[in-house]
Amino acid sequence: VISSSSSAPITLFLDDLQWADAASIAAVNQLLFASGPLSHMKFFFLGCAREKDSATKWSHCVDILVAGGIHVKLDCMDEHTLNTMVSETLCLSPRLTRPLSNVMYHKTKGNPLFVSQLMRSLNKEGLLRPSLSRRQWEWDTMKIRSRRLPDDVAIFLTNSLGELPDKVQRALFVLSCFGASSESAFVESQGLDRNILKNLEIAVAQ
């Protein structure tokens, strides 16, 4: 497939490579490099892994896969970068958003996913809100600082799902049986409860 991709570009994305065994890594290596240098083909491969989940195995993966490619390490944001993100998101100067960014940095350690989900959560709770009179975003720094959060973003997301109504959680449970994503037409074709799509819309809105 890859050797014939000179006329049709191909992108291959593999996530969670830290869980791959040696045989799977060898298969990926064969797929990528058996047909010659990738620079001569319209083929883009992107593999993602989390070092902390399996440091020894991931080190071995890097030695094999990066030999013919580029290793890009993505770390959490530092406080300055996080403040830039918050500043641009709220359309305020970095000087004004620095107190908020400082609190968020110490709660999230700069994890981008954690930061974005926390901002959504704060907005939902009214701790981060637009002010019509001031025509800008405002927040309650003290209440945000006193808010207790788990250290892991996965636990934070799990807790957020647990706050959804029971009927919405049941709808998500049913949808998960069909894979990571499903078309609404497919869900309707399965003869499921007609309210399931309405409940899923509530989950998306949250």
Side-chain angles (χ1 to χ4, degrees), residues 17-85:
L17 283 174
Q18 72 275 6
W19 304 123
D21 56 19
S24 299
I25 294 298
V28 173
N29 186 55
Q30 178 73 11
L31 178 67
L32 293 178
F33 305 118
S35 300
L38 294 179
S39 59
H40 297 163
M41 309 174 193
K42 294 181 179 180
F43 176 75
F44 179 72
F45 170 74
L46 176 63
C48 293
R50 292 185 296 275
E51 290 183 350
K52 68 176 183 179
D53 287 335
S54 185
T56 302
K57 184 182 294 184
W58 170 238
S59 178
H60 178 61
C61 294
V62 171
D63 292 340
I64 296 176
L65 294 178
V66 179
I70 300 175
H71 178 208
V72 179
K73 184 177 181 180
L74 300 178
D75 291 319
C76 291
M77 297 181 290
D78 57 31
E79 189 171 347
H80 174 75
T81 303
L82 191 154
N83 187 45
T84 300
M85 172 185 170

Coordinates of all heavy atoms in Angstrom, one line a residue, residues 17-85:
L17 N 1.1 3.9 21.7 CA 2.2 2.9 21.3 C 2.9 2.4 22.5 O 3.7 1.4 22.4 CB 3.2 3.6 20.3 CG 2.7 3.7 18.9 CD1 3.7 4.5 18.1 CD2 2.5 2.4 18.2
Q18 N 2.8 3.0 23.7 CA 3.5 2.5 24.9 C 3.0 1.2 25.3 O 3.6 0.4 26.0 CB 3.3 3.5 26.0 CG 1.9 3.6 26.7 CD 1.0 4.5 25.9 OE1 1.3 5.0 24.9 NE2 -0.2 4.7 26.5
W19 N 1.8 0.8 24.8 CA 1.2 -0.5 25.1 C 1.6 -1.6 24.0 O 1.2 -2.8 24.2 CB -0.3 -0.5 25.2 CG -0.8 0.5 26.2 CD1 -1.6 1.6 26.0 CD2 -0.4 0.6 27.6 NE1 -1.8 2.3 27.1 CE2 -1.1 1.7 28.1 CE3 0.4 -0.1 28.5 CZ2 -1.0 2.1 29.5 CZ3 0.5 0.2 29.8 CH2 -0.2 1.3 30.3
A20 N 2.3 -1.2 23.0 CA 2.6 -2.2 21.9 C 3.7 -3.1 22.3 O 4.7 -2.7 23.0 CB 3.0 -1.4 20.6
D21 N 3.6 -4.4 22.0 CA 4.6 -5.4 22.3 C 5.7 -5.3 21.2 O 5.6 -4.6 20.2 CB 4.1 -6.8 22.4 CG 3.3 -7.2 21.2 OD1 3.5 -6.6 20.1 OD2 2.5 -8.2 21.3
A22 N 6.7 -6.1 21.4 CA 7.9 -6.1 20.4 C 7.5 -6.5 19.0 O 7.9 -5.9 18.0 CB 9.0 -7.0 21.0
A23 N 6.6 -7.5 18.9 CA 6.1 -8.0 17.6 C 5.4 -6.9 16.9 O 5.5 -6.7 15.7 CB 5.3 -9.2 17.8
S24 N 4.5 -6.2 17.6 CA 3.8 -5.1 16.9 C 4.7 -4.0 16.4 O 4.5 -3.4 15.3 CB 2.7 -4.5 17.9 OG 1.8 -5.5 18.3
I25 N 5.7 -3.6 17.3 CA 6.6 -2.6 16.9 C 7.4 -3.0 15.6 O 7.6 -2.3 14.7 CB 7.6 -2.2 18.0 CG1 6.8 -1.6 19.2 CG2 8.7 -1.3 17.6 CD1 6.1 -0.3 18.8
A26 N 7.8 -4.3 15.6 CA 8.5 -4.8 14.5 C 7.7 -4.8 13.2 O 8.2 -4.5 12.1 CB 9.0 -6.3 14.8
A27 N 6.4 -5.1 13.4 CA 5.5 -5.0 12.2 C 5.3 -3.6 11.7 O 5.3 -3.4 10.5 CB 4.1 -5.6 12.6
V28 N 5.2 -2.6 12.6 CA 5.1 -1.2 12.2 C 6.4 -0.8 11.5 O 6.4 -0.1 10.5 CB 4.9 -0.3 13.4 CG1 5.0 1.2 13.0 CG2 3.5 -0.6 14.0
N29 N 7.6 -1.2 12.0 CA 8.9 -0.9 11.5 C 9.0 -1.5 10.1 O 9.5 -0.8 9.1 CB 10.0 -1.5 12.4 CG 11.3 -1.1 11.9 OD1 11.6 0.1 11.7 ND2 12.2 -2.0 11.6
Q30 N 8.5 -2.7 9.9 CA 8.5 -3.3 8.5 C 7.6 -2.6 7.6 O 8.0 -2.4 6.4 CB 8.1 -4.8 8.7 CG 8.0 -5.6 7.4 CD 9.4 -5.9 6.8 OE1 10.4 -5.8 7.5 NE2 9.4 -6.4 5.6
L31 N 6.5 -2.2 8.1 CA 5.5 -1.5 7.2 C 6.1 -0.1 6.8 O 5.9 0.3 5.6 CB 4.2 -1.2 8.0 CG 3.1 -0.4 7.3 CD1 2.5 -1.2 6.1 CD2 2.0 -0.1 8.3
L32 N 6.8 0.5 7.7 CA 7.3 1.9 7.4 C 8.5 1.9 6.5 O 8.6 2.7 5.6 CB 7.6 2.6 8.7 CG 6.5 2.9 9.6 CD1 7.0 3.6 10.9 CD2 5.5 3.9 8.9
F33 N 9.5 1.0 6.7 CA 10.8 1.1 6.1 C 11.1 0.0 5.0 O 12.1 0.1 4.4 CB 11.8 1.1 7.1 CG 11.6 2.2 8.2 CD1 11.4 1.9 9.5 CD2 11.6 3.6 7.8 CE1 11.2 2.9 10.4 CE2 11.3 4.5 8.7 CZ 11.2 4.2 10.1
A34 N 10.2 -1.0 4.9 CA 10.6 -2.1 4.0 C 10.6 -1.6 2.5 O 11.2 -2.2 1.7 CB 9.6 -3.2 4.2
S35 N 9.8 -0.6 2.2 CA 9.6 -0.1 0.8 C 10.6 1.0 0.5 O 10.5 1.5 -0.6 CB 8.2 0.4 0.6 OG 7.3 -0.6 0.9
G36 N 11.6 1.3 1.3 CA 12.6 2.3 1.0 C 12.3 3.6 1.8 O 11.4 3.6 2.7
P37 N 13.1 4.6 1.6 CA 13.0 5.9 2.4 C 11.6 6.5 2.3 O 11.1 6.6 1.2 CB 14.1 6.7 1.8 CG 15.1 5.8 1.1 CD 14.2 4.6 0.7
L38 N 11.1 7.0 3.4 CA 9.8 7.6 3.3 C 9.8 8.9 2.6 O 8.8 9.4 2.2 CB 9.2 7.8 4.8 CG 8.9 6.5 5.6 CD1 8.5 6.8 7.0 CD2 7.9 5.6 4.8
S39 N 11.0 9.5 2.5 CA 11.1 10.8 1.9 C 10.7 10.8 0.4 O 10.4 11.8 -0.2 CB 12.5 11.4 2.1 OG 13.5 10.5 1.5
H40 N 10.8 9.6 -0.2 CA 10.4 9.4 -1.6 C 9.0 9.2 -1.8 O 8.5 8.9 -2.9 CB 11.3 8.3 -2.2 CG 12.8 8.6 -2.1 ND1 13.7 7.6 -2.3 CD2 13.4 9.8 -1.9 CE1 14.9 8.2 -2.2 NE2 14.8 9.5 -2.0
M41 N 8.2 9.1 -0.7 CA 6.8 8.8 -0.8 C 5.9 9.9 -0.2 O 6.3 10.6 0.6 CB 6.5 7.4 -0.1 CG 7.4 6.3 -0.5 SD 7.1 4.9 0.5 CE 8.6 3.9 0.1
K42 N 4.6 9.9 -0.7 CA 3.7 10.8 -0.1 C 3.0 10.1 1.1 O 1.8 9.8 1.1 CB 2.7 11.2 -1.1 CG 3.3 12.1 -2.2 CD 2.2 12.5 -3.2 CE 2.8 13.4 -4.3 NZ 1.8 13.8 -5.3
F43 N 3.8 9.8 2.1 CA 3.3 9.0 3.2 C 3.7 9.7 4.5 O 4.9 10.1 4.7 CB 3.8 7.6 3.2 CG 3.4 6.8 4.4 CD1 2.2 6.3 4.5 CD2 4.4 6.5 5.4 CE1 1.8 5.5 5.6 CE2 4.0 5.7 6.5 CZ 2.7 5.2 6.6
F44 N 2.8 9.9 5.4 CA 3.0 10.5 6.7 C 2.6 9.6 7.8 O 1.4 9.2 7.9 CB 2.3 11.8 6.8 CG 2.5 12.5 8.1 CD1 3.8 13.1 8.4 CD2 1.5 12.6 9.1 CE1 4.0 13.8 9.6 CE2 1.7 13.3 10.3 CZ 3.0 13.9 10.6
F45 N 3.6 9.2 8.7 CA 3.3 8.4 9.8 C 3.4 9.2 11.1 O 4.4 9.9 11.3 CB 4.2 7.2 9.9 CG 4.1 6.4 11.2 CD1 3.0 5.6 11.4 CD2 5.1 6.5 12.1 CE1 2.9 4.9 12.6 CE2 5.0 5.8 13.3 CZ 3.9 5.0 13.6
L46 N 2.4 9.1 12.0 CA 2.5 9.7 13.3 C 2.1 8.7 14.4 O 1.1 8.1 14.4 CB 1.5 10.9 13.4 CG 1.4 11.6 14.7 CD1 2.7 12.3 15.1 CD2 0.2 12.6 14.6
G47 N 3.1 8.5 15.3 CA 2.9 7.6 16.4 C 3.0 8.4 17.7 O 3.8 9.2 17.9
C48 N 2.0 8.1 18.6 CA 2.0 8.8 19.9 C 2.1 7.8 21.1 O 1.6 6.7 21.0 CB 0.7 9.6 20.1 SG 0.6 11.0 18.9
A49 N 2.8 8.2 22.1 CA 3.0 7.3 23.3 C 3.2 8.2 24.5 O 3.7 9.4 24.4 CB 4.1 6.4 23.1
R50 N 2.9 7.7 25.7 CA 3.1 8.4 26.9 C 4.3 7.7 27.6 O 4.1 6.5 28.0 CB 1.9 8.4 27.8 CG 0.7 9.2 27.2 CD -0.4 9.3 28.2 NE -1.0 8.0 28.4 CZ -2.0 7.5 27.6 NH1 -2.4 8.1 26.5 NH2 -2.5 6.3 27.9
E51 N 5.3 8.4 27.8 CA 6.5 7.8 28.4 C 6.3 7.3 29.8 O 6.8 6.2 30.2 CB 7.7 8.8 28.5 CG 8.2 9.2 27.1 CD 9.4 10.1 27.2 OE1 9.6 10.7 28.3 OE2 10.0 10.3 26.2
K52 N 5.5 8.0 30.6 CA 5.3 7.7 32.0 C 4.6 6.3 32.2 O 4.7 5.7 33.3 CB 4.6 8.8 32.8 CG 3.2 9.0 32.4 CD 2.5 10.0 33.3 CE 1.0 10.2 33.0 NZ 0.4 11.2 33.9
D53 N 3.8 5.9 31.2 CA 3.0 4.7 31.4 C 3.9 3.4 31.2 O 3.6 2.4 31.8 CB 1.9 4.6 30.3 CG 0.8 5.6 30.7 OD1 0.7 5.9 31.9 OD2 0.0 6.0 29.8
S54 N 5.0 3.6 30.4 CA 5.8 2.4 30.2 C 7.2 2.9 29.7 O 7.5 2.7 28.6 CB 5.2 1.4 29.3 OG 5.9 0.2 29.1
A55 N 8.0 3.4 30.6 CA 9.2 4.1 30.2 C 10.2 3.1 29.5 O 10.8 3.5 28.5 CB 9.9 4.7 31.4
T56 N 10.4 1.9 30.0 CA 11.4 1.0 29.5 C 10.9 0.6 28.1 O 11.7 0.6 27.1 CB 11.5 -0.2 30.4 OG1 11.9 0.2 31.6 CG2 12.5 -1.2 29.8
K57 N 9.7 0.2 27.9 CA 9.2 -0.3 26.6 C 9.2 0.9 25.6 O 9.5 0.7 24.5 CB 7.7 -0.8 26.8 CG 7.2 -1.4 25.5 CD 5.8 -1.9 25.7 CE 5.7 -3.1 26.6 NZ 4.3 -3.6 26.8
W58 N 8.8 2.1 26.0 CA 8.8 3.2 25.1 C 10.2 3.5 24.6 O 10.4 3.9 23.5 CB 8.1 4.4 25.8 CG 8.3 5.7 25.0 CD1 8.9 6.8 25.4 CD2 7.8 5.9 23.7 NE1 8.8 7.7 24.4 CE2 8.2 7.2 23.3 CE3 7.2 5.1 22.7 CZ2 7.9 7.8 22.1 CZ3 6.9 5.7 21.5 CH2 7.3 7.0 21.2
S59 N 11.2 3.4 25.5 CA 12.5 3.7 25.1 C 12.9 2.8 24.0 O 13.6 3.2 23.0 CB 13.5 3.5 26.3 OG 14.8 3.7 25.9
H60 N 12.5 1.5 24.1 CA 12.8 0.5 23.0 C 12.1 0.9 21.7 O 12.7 0.8 20.6 CB 12.4 -0.9 23.5 CG 12.6 -1.9 22.4 ND1 13.9 -2.2 21.9 CD2 11.8 -2.8 21.8 CE1 13.8 -3.2 21.1 NE2 12.5 -3.5 21.0
C61 N 10.9 1.4 21.9 CA 10.1 1.8 20.7 C 10.8 2.9 19.9 O 10.8 3.0 18.7 CB 8.7 2.2 21.1 SG 7.7 0.9 21.7
V62 N 11.3 3.9 20.7 CA 11.9 5.1 20.1 C 13.1 4.6 19.3 O 13.4 5.1 18.2 CB 12.3 6.1 21.2 CG1 13.2 7.2 20.6 CG2 11.1 6.7 21.8
D63 N 13.9 3.7 19.9 CA 15.1 3.3 19.2 C 14.8 2.7 17.9 O 15.6 2.8 16.9 CB 15.9 2.2 20.1 CG 16.4 2.8 21.3 OD1 16.6 4.1 21.4 OD2 16.7 2.1 22.3
I64 N 13.7 2.0 17.8 CA 13.3 1.3 16.5 C 12.7 2.3 15.5 O 13.1 2.4 14.4 CB 12.4 0.1 16.8 CG1 13.1 -0.9 17.6 CG2 11.9 -0.5 15.5 CD1 12.2 -2.1 18.0
L65 N 11.7 3.0 16.0 CA 10.9 3.8 15.1 C 11.5 5.1 14.7 O 11.4 5.6 13.5 CB 9.5 4.1 15.7 CG 8.6 2.9 15.9 CD1 7.3 3.3 16.5 CD2 8.3 2.2 14.5
V66 N 12.2 5.8 15.6 CA 12.8 7.1 15.3 C 14.0 7.0 14.5 O 14.5 7.9 13.9 CB 13.1 7.8 16.7 CG1 13.7 9.2 16.4 CG2 11.9 8.0 17.5
A67 N 14.6 5.7 14.3 CA 15.8 5.6 13.5 C 15.6 6.1 12.1 O 16.5 6.6 11.5 CB 16.1 4.1 13.4
G68 N 14.3 6.1 11.6 CA 14.1 6.6 10.2 C 13.2 7.8 10.2 O 12.6 8.1 9.2
G69 N 13.0 8.4 11.4 CA 12.1 9.5 11.4 C 12.5 10.6 12.4 O 13.7 10.7 12.7
I70 N 11.6 11.3 13.0 CA 11.9 12.4 13.9 C 11.1 12.1 15.2 O 9.9 11.8 15.2 CB 11.4 13.8 13.3 CG1 12.2 14.0 12.0 CG2 11.7 14.9 14.3 CD1 11.8 15.3 11.3
H71 N 11.8 12.3 16.3 CA 11.2 12.1 17.7 C 10.9 13.5 18.2 O 11.8 14.3 18.4 CB 12.1 11.4 18.6 CG 11.6 11.2 20.0 ND1 12.4 11.1 21.1 CD2 10.3 11.2 20.4 CE1 11.7 11.0 22.2 NE2 10.4 11.0 21.8
V72 N 9.6 13.8 18.4 CA 9.2 15.1 19.0 C 8.6 14.8 20.4 O 7.6 14.1 20.5 CB 8.1 15.7 18.1 CG1 7.6 17.0 18.8 CG2 8.6 16.0 16.7
K73 N 9.2 15.4 21.4 CA 8.7 15.2 22.8 C 7.9 16.4 23.2 O 8.3 17.5 23.2 CB 9.9 15.0 23.7 CG 9.5 14.8 25.2 CD 10.7 14.5 26.1 CE 10.2 14.2 27.5 NZ 11.4 14.0 28.4
L74 N 6.6 16.1 23.6 CA 5.7 17.2 24.0 C 5.6 17.2 25.5 O 5.1 16.2 26.1 CB 4.3 17.0 23.3 CG 4.3 17.0 21.8 CD1 2.9 16.7 21.3 CD2 4.8 18.3 21.3
D75 N 6.0 18.2 26.1 CA 5.9 18.4 27.6 C 4.7 19.2 27.9 O 4.1 19.8 27.0 CB 7.2 19.0 28.1 CG 8.4 18.0 28.0 OD1 8.2 16.8 28.3 OD2 9.5 18.5 27.7
C76 N 4.4 19.3 29.2 CA 3.4 20.2 29.6 C 3.8 21.6 29.5 O 5.0 21.9 29.4 CB 3.0 19.9 31.1 SG 2.2 18.3 31.4
M77 N 2.9 22.5 29.4 CA 3.2 23.9 29.2 C 3.8 24.5 30.5 O 3.4 24.1 31.6 CB 1.9 24.7 28.9 CG 1.2 24.3 27.6 SD -0.2 25.3 27.3 CE -1.4 24.7 28.5
D78 N 4.7 25.4 30.3 CA 5.2 26.2 31.5 C 4.2 27.3 31.8 O 3.3 27.5 31.0 CB 6.6 26.8 31.2 CG 6.7 27.7 30.0 OD1 5.7 28.3 29.7 OD2 7.8 27.7 29.3
E79 N 4.4 28.0 32.9 CA 3.4 29.0 33.3 C 3.3 30.1 32.3 O 2.2 30.6 32.1 CB 3.8 29.5 34.7 CG 2.7 30.4 35.3 CD 3.0 30.7 36.8 OE1 3.9 30.1 37.4 OE2 2.3 31.6 37.3
H80 N 4.4 30.5 31.7 CA 4.3 31.6 30.7 C 3.5 31.2 29.5 O 2.6 32.0 29.0 CB 5.7 32.0 30.2 CG 5.7 33.0 29.1 ND1 5.4 34.4 29.3 CD2 6.0 32.9 27.8 CE1 5.5 35.0 28.2 NE2 5.8 34.1 27.2
T81 N 3.7 30.0 29.0 CA 2.9 29.5 27.8 C 1.5 29.3 28.2 O 0.6 29.7 27.4 CB 3.5 28.1 27.4 OG1 4.9 28.3 27.1 CG2 2.8 27.6 26.1
L82 N 1.2 28.8 29.4 CA -0.2 28.7 29.8 C -0.9 30.0 29.9 O -2.0 30.2 29.4 CB -0.2 28.0 31.2 CG -1.6 27.5 31.7 CD1 -1.5 26.3 32.6 CD2 -2.4 28.6 32.3
N83 N -0.2 31.0 30.4 CA -0.8 32.4 30.5 C -1.0 32.9 29.1 O -2.1 33.6 28.8 CB 0.2 33.3 31.2 CG -0.5 34.7 31.5 OD1 -1.6 34.8 31.9 ND2 0.3 35.7 31.2
T84 N -0.2 32.6 28.1 CA -0.4 33.1 26.7 C -1.7 32.4 26.2 O -2.5 33.1 25.5 CB 0.8 32.7 25.8 OG1 2.0 33.4 26.3 CG2 0.5 33.1 24.4
M85 N -1.9 31.1 26.5 CA -3.0 30.4 26.0 C -4.3 31.0 26.6 O -5.3 31.3 25.9 CB -2.9 28.9 26.4 CG -4.2 28.1 26.2 SD -4.0 26.4 26.8 CE -5.7 25.8 26.6

